[in-house]
Amino acid sequence: MAYMTQKDLANTEVDCVRARQIADGVHSVQDAIAQAESHYGRKAESVTLLAATKTRDVGEIMAALKAGVRVIGENRPQEIVAKAEILRAEAAREGLSVGVNGEIPLYLIGQLQSNKINKVLPLANGIQSVDGIELAQKISARAQNLGLCVDVMLEVNVSGEATKSGCAPERAIDEAFAISSLPALNLHGFMTLGARVDDEKIVRSGFAKLREIRDCVSEQLAQDHDGNSAKLELSMGMSGDFAWAIAEGSTMVRIGSAIFGPRAFV
């Protein structure tokens, strides 16, 4: 993560040209989401746009918020720590509240190591990248100690690609039920990354698999709670495949480069 020494992530300045580029990106993505909702028979505004802000500084994130973004996702715990408090202060100046108890939630959407849990929990509304019960149990214990209730999503590796994290689809239902019973956690839904291929049928089949898992778990939880359990979210779809994800039932798409442009760092 050399970029964290090469780029000041806490920088709050953004020039008007860059701010306009980001605003145009946000509006373009919002239009594309609306078109996909219409094309695939989804209800208007049923899909939430999450801005994936890996390597983006506070000024760039603020430009996205001013353009209408209302959910933020960070890939790395270190970036949440570097940005969260400054971002919260900058947002407050604009009459916006970001992070825990705020109207604009901040999620961790990348891998979480055990030694970073305590640093992330007070700053993030939820963690979308919980890969199984073992990590969930650690988060639950830390959340209890901090007096917090944390939204978590179970990350499922629907493509089976070795480079991707997440639990195997055949284990996902059991893992989800186990997580849903842990104290201080709220099972908020499921997350996945689409297959890294340019084949609509293959990518959509993975997304469809996760929707089926979600529907199965939602149905059972509703029965267990007399129909009072909240609908579980489906966080799937990124800049290159979000329309296909919307076609298969995604309720939240995680968009980075289509908003902010190509990353200068990885």
Side-chain angles (χ1 to χ4, degrees), residues 7 14 29-30 64 80 85 108 151 156 194-195 212 220 236 245:
K7 182 173 182 176
V14 60
V29 170
Q30 288 172 330
I80 289 182
E85 295 294 353
L108 179 70
D151 285 345
V156 183
E212 291 162 5
Q220 185 60 52
M236 57 189 196

Side-chain angles (χ1 to χ4, degrees), residues 127 130-137 139-140 144 149-155 171-190 213-214 216-225 229-232:
I127 298 162
V130 175
D131 59 3
I133 188 65
E134 187 176 330
L135 178 58
Q137 286 170 333
I139 296 168
S140 171
Q144 281 182 284
C149 183
V150 181
D151 285 345
V152 296
M153 290 190 180
L154 178 62
E155 182 177 5
R171 291 204 338 263
I173 292 174
D174 289 341
E175 295 272 317
F177 287 137
I179 291 169
S180 73
S181 68
L182 291 173
L185 295 190
N186 172 44
L187 181 65
H188 192 54
F190 296 85
I213 291 168
R214 189 279 309 271
C216 177
V217 173
S218 285
E219 185 177 333
Q220 185 60 52
L221 288 178
Q223 290 177 8
D224 293 347
H225 296 90
S229 61
K231 183 75 170 176
L232 296 174

Side-chain angles (χ1 to χ4, degrees), residues 155-221:
E155 182 177 5
V156 183
N157 185 355
V158 294
S159 69
E161 294 167 1
T163 55
K164 289 189 170 75
S165 56
C167 79
E170 58 269 21
R171 291 204 338 263
I173 292 174
D174 289 341
E175 295 272 317
F177 287 137
I179 291 169
S180 73
S181 68
L182 291 173
L185 295 190
N186 172 44
L187 181 65
H188 192 54
F190 296 85
M191 187 264 261
T192 196
L193 282 76
R196 210 177 269 180
V197 294
D198 192 24
D199 184 316
E200 179 177 357
K201 187 176 181 181
I202 291 173
V203 176
R204 285 184 62 169
S205 70
F207 291 149
K209 186 185 297 181
L210 190 62
R211 183 189 69 244
E212 291 162 5
I213 291 168
R214 189 279 309 271
D215 289 349
C216 177
V217 173
S218 285
E219 185 177 333
Q220 185 60 52
L221 288 178

Side-chain angles (χ1 to χ4, degrees), residues 98-147:
V98 174
V100 177
N101 299 322
E103 72 206 32
I104 299 173
L106 169 62
Y107 291 108
L108 179 70
I109 58 175
Q111 287 182 291
L112 176 62
Q113 300 82 16
S114 300
N115 64 349
K116 300 288 195 308
I117 294 174
N118 279 3
K119 291 183 177 179
V120 168
L121 290 190
L123 301 173
N125 297 71
I127 298 162
Q128 294 198 4
S129 45
V130 175
D131 59 3
I133 188 65
E134 187 176 330
L135 178 58
Q137 286 170 333
K138 293 175 182 175
I139 296 168
S140 171
R142 311 282 174 82
Q144 281 182 284
N145 288 341
L146 293 166

Side-chain angles (χ1 to χ4, degrees), residues 225-238:
H225 296 90
D226 297 322
N228 292 323
S229 61
K231 183 75 170 176
L232 296 174
E233 299 278 348
L234 273 180
S235 175
M236 57 189 196
M238 296 177 15

